[in-house]
DNA sequence: GACATATTCAACCATCCGGTTGACGATGCC
DNA sequence: GGCATCGTCAACCGGATGGTTGAATATGTC
């Protein structure tokens, strides 16, 4: 499953994770601070951040004992581009589109 | 859980379902015809169509004994709008996408 | 060294998901 | 009526998901 879009959409399918993305839109945050407004355990939030990171939607950088989470817009952009293929364009070869997006994503990462 | 976005993203998280949406972009299709190119049972495709319908991404209309599936772009638009809330990247790589689509459309069908 | 904080790991649990198969209700055709 | 076709339903299965708790690993502070 090297398809990049599936984990992105799967990550976006959870409202907690979408809320987290919204929080990270304002600023980078430590894991503990991300977890603070939620009524669930820190471990649960940590797992959500793991899902977001594996989808490429965020990155995590450890500085000292704190792990900073940062929004990575490229993955969202990939999903957005895919959807625009539906909104505005005529029939498209989706497999080719996904190959295109895969290249796009690789492009973004160092 | 009346949140409309979660089922939409969850539906998009499966590559089979995304492919189905791509097929329906060209034209409305009967369930059997949707299932034809896939290496899985008709019942499995029927379930996928159920998921897409519950997310609002398609509608199904019974005419005779055939059920016609139709793309409903509004749901996709809702998800797209949500993502644009994130969009500093909003003017997606439309240039690249258009170049891609131009090649695609020439290459593919007439 | 001792202790507190930040985060993950591991085990566990209930539920959901994607697939199968076989039976079933509707519909169209002869 | 009898039969094939269209599509879903129901039961089942293995694996993923979302949550819990408690222990473990780093790191910072005194």
């Amino acid at each position: 499953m090297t398809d990049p879009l599936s984990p992105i959409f799967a990550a976006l399918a959870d409202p907690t994770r979408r809320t987290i993305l919204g929080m990270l839109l304002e600023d980078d945050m430590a894991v503990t601070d991300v977890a603070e407004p939620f009524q669930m355990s820190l471990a649960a939030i940590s797992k959500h951040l793991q899902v977001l990171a594996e989808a490429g939607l965020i990155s995590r950088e450890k500085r000292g004992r704190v792990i900073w989470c940062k929004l990575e817009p490229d993955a969202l952009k990939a999903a957005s581009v895919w959807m625009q293929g539906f909104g505005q364009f005529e029939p498209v070869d989706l497999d080719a589109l996904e190959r295109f997006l895969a290249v796009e994503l690789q492009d973004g990462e160092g």
Side-chain angles (χ1 to χ4, degrees), chain A residues 14-29:
Chain A
D14 186 282
T16 299
R17 288 194 290 261
R18 290 200 306 276
T19 302
I20 290 175
L21 290 178
M23 293 161 59
L24 293 178
L25 195 54
E26 301 204 24
D27 211 346
D28 300 358
M29 293 179 78

Side-chain angles (χ1 to χ4, degrees), chain A residues 9-83:
Chain A
F9 283 124
L12 295 178
D14 186 282
T16 299
R17 288 194 290 261
R18 290 200 306 276
T19 302
I20 290 175
L21 290 178
M23 293 161 59
L24 293 178
L25 195 54
E26 301 204 24
D27 211 346
D28 300 358
M29 293 179 78
V31 174
T32 304
D33 294 333
V34 170
E36 195 268 335
F38 295 97
Q39 297 296 100
M40 73 180 69
S41 68
L42 182 63
I45 295 294
S46 178
K47 280 194 197 177
H48 280 305
L49 292 169
Q50 181 74 22
V51 172
L52 289 169
E54 277 168 3
L57 287 162
I58 68 169
S59 61
R60 288 173 297 175
E61 182 194 352
K62 185 167 186 175
R63 285 206 296 272
R65 65 180 162 175
V66 174
I67 292 182
W68 293 92
C69 303
K70 178 171 173 295
L71 193 65
E72 291 290 340
D74 281 356
L76 262 174
K77 169 176 149 182
S80 183
V81 166
W82 182 84
M83 295 207 298

